[in-house]
Amino acid sequence: MPDSNRTPTAQLRADGSLRHLLTLEGLPTPVVRQLLERSAHYARPLSTPAARSNALVGRTVAVMFAEPSTRTRVSFELAARRLGADVINIEVQLSSRLKGESVLDTVATLEAMYVDAFVLRDADATVPDLVASHVAEHVSVLSGGAGSQTHPTQGLLDALTVRQHKGRIEGLRIAIVGDIRHSRVARSSWQAFAALGAEEIRIVAPQGLMPGEQEFKDCKRFTSLEAGIESCDVVMMLRIQKERMTALSIPDEASYFAEWGLTTERLRAAKPDAIVMHPQPMNRGVEIASDVADGPQSVIRDQVRNGVAVRMAVLEATLSGGRR
Ligand code: CP
């Protein structure tokens, strides 16, 4: 069983190359920057063909998600295929996990079929790290989202998207708004923005959705949407994660939208050239109005497009150094 007191598995090999990507916390900033540079290399406009390479020909990637996903699962799969890897997609709900097989036995079974990398999503935030501590030396583990704690490739794609639109992250004022308490995206994106030199990162949420005081060190906290996004360069909206709440911490959706929904009028509090982000899935009319989500300041589609580029860069970086 996962042991929450275990020392986290090292993400870097002895030579400093990236072996696993489980969290952005503590990842050296030069490694984050290298991943972003490589992601930018793979990011192409939609008007041109998608980037491809043969970097991972002969390698096998298993995508094993125990929670729902559209963007992360599909983009990891596309990324691996576009690098020439074989990809298997394990539907956990149709696998022998349902007959009682442990995640470690499932992973060991797939390792025996020459799988070189596991991309994992699980409601239990300890699972990717647990698996990483048990796989063979040449095998990599990548988190595709772990409970409410980590979503490192989302943090990287958010940083890449901000950099594309603003030219930099250094010196920016960034507001992350909504259900911060339950959001792995908020944690990983904050870690990426902080590592890359954002001037001010704000977390903006109703009191019931704020994380504990020991988390999000150095962030400014706001419990009003208008005050929280005032003069910001970036406004990132988050979905309310009802699936992670033990008791509902918000009123009904209409009341939430009335106080916390990002509308065109409210967005005027941010800088006139502020960009609007959302990791999706989004609930239109709850945390964000449709005309803002689809409006001229929205870069939400770019976040999705950049997800493939970032996952190509991460798969390439982790698998290039780990030949069996
Ligand atoms: N942003 C994100 O993780 O989306 P999915 O849940 O669809 O993968």
Side-chain angles (χ1 to χ4, degrees), residues 68-72 121 151 154 279-281:
S69 170
T70 299
R71 282 144 289 271
T72 313
R121 173 174 285 193
H151 197 347
Q154 180 75 43
Q280 302 194 80

Side-chain angles (χ1 to χ4, degrees), residues 65 67-75 121 144-145 151 154 157 184-185 239 278-281 304 311:
F65 277 28
E67 279 195 320
S69 170
T70 299
R71 282 144 289 271
T72 313
R73 188 178 59 75
V74 172
S75 59
R121 173 174 285 193
H151 197 347
Q154 180 75 43
L157 76 87
R184 56 194 173 207
V185 174
R239 178 177 71 89
H278 194 308
Q280 302 194 80
V304 177
R311 284 152 188 146

Side-chain angles (χ1 to χ4, degrees), residues 40-219:
H41 165 79
Y42 282 125
R44 305 281 158 88
L46 273 183
S47 55
T48 66
R52 289 180 189 275
S53 107
N54 290 327
L56 298 186
V57 168
R59 316 305 293 279
T60 302
V61 176
V63 179
M64 203 160 83
F65 277 28
E67 279 195 320
S69 170
T70 299
R71 282 144 289 271
T72 313
R73 188 178 59 75
V74 172
S75 59
F76 260 118
E77 188 170 337
L78 282 176
R81 288 190 196 285
R82 288 180 185 162
L83 293 170
D86 296 332
V87 182
I88 52 171
N89 212 322
I90 319 295
E91 298 287 349
V92 172
Q93 300 310 323
L94 298 178
S95 75
S96 288
R97 292 273 298 278
L98 256 64
K99 299 179 206 165
E101 185 170 76
S102 72
V103 65
L104 291 179
D105 282 337
T106 303
V107 164
T109 299
L110 295 168
E111 269 192 270
M113 299 182 197
Y114 289 83
V115 166
D116 299 292
F118 291 90
V119 183
L120 303 174
R121 173 174 285 193
D122 207 289
D124 181 341
T126 65
V127 164
D129 184 66
L130 176 80
V131 172
S133 71
H134 281 79
V135 291
E137 191 63 29
H138 65 274
V139 174
S140 294
V141 177
L142 313 177
S143 169
S148 58
Q149 295 304 306
T150 65
H151 197 347
T153 53
Q154 180 75 43
L156 292 172
L157 76 87
D158 287 341
L160 179 64
T161 306
V162 171
R163 216 182 62 169
Q164 280 174 347
H165 284 273
K166 294 288 172 193
R168 68 196 199 286
I169 291 175
E170 292 84 352
L172 295 182
R173 187 175 291 151
I174 299 174
I176 307 176
V177 183
D179 185 1
I180 312 282
R181 175 180 288 183
H182 302 100
S183 175
R184 56 194 173 207
V185 174
R187 288 174 174 78
S188 287
S189 296
W190 159 60
Q191 285 157 2
F193 296 144
L196 295 166
E199 181 180 299
E200 185 179 317
I201 305 173
R202 301 177 175 184
I203 53 174
V204 185
Q207 198 56 52
L209 298 179
M210 272 288 180
E213 291 292 333
Q214 70 285 359
E215 284 198 277
F216 290 88
K217 289 269 188 313
D218 301 328
C219 286

